[in-house]
Each structure stands twice: as structure tokens, then as C-alpha cells.
Amino acid sequence: MIYEVFRQERKGQPFVHGGSFHAPDRPFADAYAREFYARRQESVALWVVPRDEILEIDEFPDEFDLKYRRVDGYSIKARLAIARERAGAATSSSDGEGP
Amino acid sequence: MTRPRADLLLELADDELILGWRDSEWTGIAPFLEEDVAFSSIAQNEIGHARALYELAARDLGTDADALAFDRPIAEYRCAPLVQLRRLEWARTIARHWLYETADAVRIEALKDSDDVEVAGLAGKIEREETYHRLHAEMWIERLLAAPEGRTRLEEALLELWPYALGVLEGELRETFAARVRERLPFGLPEVEAIPRDRHEPELAELLDEMTIVRRSAPVGAQW
């Protein structure tokens, strides 16, 4: 069975994927995880998970433009440029009429 | 304890050093990669324990750890025949590992109660690592016992090594050890004569020869 290992380097930090190894059962996984990922005190805690138990999701339909759901939102670069141009034109025309 | 403590420390140190070397013979060729790393690490730990024990003994004897580990004549090595055997066969290796760790646990427990604070302290430190060695040995025993082939091979190996294992300890400690082993196994082990510590297996000379080759070839006083 393949086990995936997530390691925490310091207390309070997130667990980060460290790698994987083969082990026939949990006691073996416990022993090997310690040897591979903690024997040099490089981890303060480990999550050791059978790969089969991980729910993996890697397909996400994106048929419509739903960019607005993302944190970065719409790209407004192009629109901003147009707006600036328009604002610029307005300013220069008003300049001409000034005292 | 009426014996000089250096005597007792050397016995322990020799056991750990020689077993460490024997176990390290699997490095690179263990049955699978994960076990190769784990078993090599255990071998390294044993040699680390040997070093700490030699250092303590060396202070009493007015020498240093390397001299005790490498420069004594073979007749002075006190390691039990169990650890001298060259057994490059996995079932026997695991059987020896488990027998040794079980015996060592009995011995270390006794040393932790020693009136000598230095010996008791070192025993406590060693014990914290040996706990993981025992877990490792125990998971293998459990796994081998779970399948008919594993059980048969383990039983054969234990029968062969039993008289050697009994020789690791003496007196009351030996009784405690034998009882623990028997309690754990679903099959019996015979009443046999223990192979005593002063016996040297032919393999020991070969091992010492190999183990000291670098030391012998370097000029006296070389620093590492």
C-alpha cells in the first residue's frame, strides 16, 4: 500500500506534502514515516495517509466565463485604458476653454 | 552489582557494536527500500549506543572509546554469540532482532534502577531509542505470525537461535526474558542449554578483521 506523508516543520504551521512510501499496514507505516520524515528532527508532526483514502478531485468544468468568482476578478486593464483616454480627452477640451 | 562497572559496560557495548555491524550488512540489500532505510537506521543507533557505553567505560579504564571498540584482542570481546552470527537471511535476521531487543529491554530496565547515576542515566537515554527498535521488531513478528509461511519461517529461525538468545542474559534476568518470549509466541520453545557469552563463533574473527581494517591501515594518532 502507498502512504502519502504530510509534514509540519514547526508548531502552528500548515502540513505540507513531503512524499510517499510503501508499507504493508499501519504499524509499518508508522515506523517508516518516522525514519523517512522525522529521524533528523525535521518535522514536529506527520500526517500519514493511505493514498487510497485520499479523495482526489482534478476535473473542474469551466464552460462559462465565471471569472468574477475569482479573487482577482475581471481584468479591467483594457477598460481602464479606454476610460483614461476618454477622461484625458475631456480634460484637454476643458483646458482649451479655460481663462 | 559487585562486578566492576566497566566490565558490565563493555559487555553491553560489545553486544551493541557487533549487532550494529551485523545489521548494517543489510544496507543496500534489504528486502525493500523502506526496510533498508529503517533497518540501517537501527544499526546506526546500536553503534551510537555502543559508542556512549565505550566512552563511559573508557573513563574508568583510562583509555578512549575507539581503542576499546577496535584495538582489543579478540579474546577480550565480551559480545554474546547471538550477535556474532552472520545471518544474511531475513527471517533469521528478524528473529535475532526481536530476541535481542526483548533481552535488551530486560537488561536496560534493570540498569535504569542502578544506584550508579551515570549508568542509570545512560540506560534511560538508550531506552528511549530502543523503544522504537522494539516497535519495529514487534510489527515484524506480528506480521510473520499472521501468515502460515511467515509463521513457519519464524519458528524455524527462533528454534535455531533460542540457545544463543538465552546466553545474552544470566540468572534472574534470563528467566524474565525467557518468560516474555514464551508468552508472546503461539508455539513453544524447548528447554535448552544457553550458549554462554565467553564462546566465540568463527564469524567473529572475520568480522573484527573487516571492522578494524581502516583503523589498522591508518597511521597511529590519525584523526577522523
Side-chain angles (χ1 to χ4, degrees), chain B residues 22 84-87 200-208:
Chain B
R22 283 301 183 216
Q84 298 172 24
L85 301 171
R86 187 158 202 265
R87 285 291 182 273
H200 282 164
E201 299 300 313
E203 294 107 305
L204 182 65
E206 286 164 38
L207 188 151
L208 289 179

Side-chain angles (χ1 to χ4, degrees), chain A residues 31-51:
Chain A
Y32 296 157
R34 288 172 192 278
E35 286 302 340
F36 278 73
Y37 297 100
R39 68 183 284 211
R40 295 175 188 87
Q41 316 293 322
E42 65 271 48
S43 309
V44 295
L46 299 174
W47 285 346
V48 184
V49 192
R51 185 182 280 177

Side-chain angles (χ1 to χ4, degrees), chain B residues 23 25 28 59 63 76 116-117 126-127 137 148 157 160 173 180 182-183 200 204 208 217 224:
Chain B
D23 284 351
E25 288 170 343
R59 270 186 20 219
T63 175
E76 286 183 22
D116 185 325
V117 288
I126 290 175
E127 164 67 11
E160 181 188 305
L173 296 185
R180 275 192 205 173
R182 289 202 164 98
E183 199 180 307
H200 282 164
L204 182 65
L208 289 179
S217 63
W224 303 96

Side-chain angles (χ1 to χ4, degrees), chain B residues 84-125:
Chain B
Q84 298 172 24
L85 301 171
R86 187 158 202 265
R87 285 291 182 273
L88 275 177
E89 192 270 323
W90 192 247
R92 278 166 181 76
T93 299
I94 289 301
R96 166 169 58 192
H97 174 44
W98 180 68
L99 288 168
Y100 180 81
E101 293 300 344
T102 308
D104 199 38
V106 173
R107 175 166 66 183
I108 294 289
E109 280 162 29
L111 287 177
K112 273 168 67 186
D113 293 336
S114 164
D115 295 332
D116 185 325
V117 288
E118 284 182 316
V119 171
L122 183 52
K125 265 173 84 172

Side-chain angles (χ1 to χ4, degrees), chain A residues 70-81:
Chain A
R70 298 205 310 250
V71 186
D72 55 349
Y74 285 110
S75 165
I76 57 166
K77 217 169 156 188
R79 264 183 267 171
L80 199 62

